[in-house]
Structures are given as C-alpha cells and as structure tokens.
Amino acid sequence: MAKDYGITFFYYPDIHAVTEFYETVLGFELVLDQGLARIYRIAPNSYFGIVDGNRGHLRHQEKSAVLLTIVAQDVEGWHEKVSAAGVAGLTEIRRGNYCDHFFFEDPAGYALEIQRFHNPDVAKLFA
C-alpha cells in the first residue's frame, strides 16, 4: 500500500505560546488550523503539527525525547536565522560522519536540528 506523506506532531500545554516561533521564526507554512492543532508544511511532502496537549490524543510531557530534523542545503543561513532570533540551546554547526548540523530548542524545550548531508551517496537516498 502506498504512503503519500507523514505528519509529526508535538504536544504543548499552550500551542499559542509556540505559534509565532514556528510561523515567524522558522517560517513554516500553515496548511490547516484545526483549533486544537495547527499543521504546517515544512517541505513539499513533509508536515509538522502542534497540538493542544490538554485536549489532543496525547498529553504534553515536561521533558521530551523527540527530535525534529529539517534537512536543508543552507545550514549556515538557517544557523544565522535562528541565532538572530535568540533561540534556546543553539549549538555551533558541527560536522558529523554523514552531515553538517546544529541543534536548538523551541520555546517549550522540544529539540530541533537543521542538517545537510555532505556525503552524496547518503544524500541521494533521500532525494
């Protein structure tokens, strides 16, 4: 059976406290506002949602073990953008075995990563 796309959801005690971060700081495109959830397009077939953790299927957790990774060619530009916004937990750009990347946090403490695969053989697996 074919899969068309996926949506990853993060749960918050107050989604209105993070909407500006996702819409203005990161520039995610709002596709659907369901009231208790907002769904954003972050790439042509890649979606991310924020959910009211008081009313949604799951509940907000104080400490999350989830990481949202965004793959982008302009890692340096993203780093400058989020640095200028004063995001929490911002690391320097690091060169790993497969990618150049950095980490930061949203206003509620969820972890995010921006990365670029520098190995062409690995990058083509995701093309």
Side-chain angles (χ1 to χ4, degrees):
M1 184 168 282
K3 289 120 183 116
D4 297 322
Y5 53 86
I7 306 172
T8 299
F9 289 98
F10 284 4
Y11 287 75
Y12 295 90
D14 177 8
I15 64 171
H16 301 291
V18 297
T19 56
E20 182 178 344
F21 175 80
Y22 286 106
E23 294 172 14
T24 303
V25 174
L26 298 186
F28 287 2
E29 175 193 351
L30 180 64
V31 175
L32 179 63
D33 181 352
Q34 298 175 303
L36 74 89
R38 295 171 75 85
I39 300 173
Y40 302 97
R41 180 179 291 111
I42 58 175
N45 285 316
S46 181
Y47 299 88
F48 169 74
I50 60 176
V51 182
D52 181 334
N54 302 302
R55 301 185 301 149
H57 177 69
L58 300 173
R59 299 293 169 248
H60 169 74
Q61 302 295 313
E62 287 301 318
K63 185 66 177 167
S64 171
V66 176
L67 171 69
L68 176 63
T69 297
I70 300 165
V71 179
Q73 290 306 303
D74 189 8
V75 170
E76 295 78 10
W78 272 97
H79 194 271
E80 289 174 15
K81 179 178 182 167
V82 298
S83 179
V87 300
L90 180 62
T91 68
E92 293 300 318
I93 297 172
R94 300 172 182 158
R95 186 166 181 88
N97 290 334
Y98 297 100
C99 63
D100 299 321
H101 61 120
F102 67 91
F103 299 94
F104 59 101
E105 295 176 359
D106 78 2
Y110 277 103
L112 291 99
E113 173 188 33
I114 305 291
Q115 74 172 29
R116 169 184 60 231
F117 291 109
H118 55 71
N119 180 320
D121 293 329
V122 174
K124 72 180 179 184
L125 296 172
F126 298 94

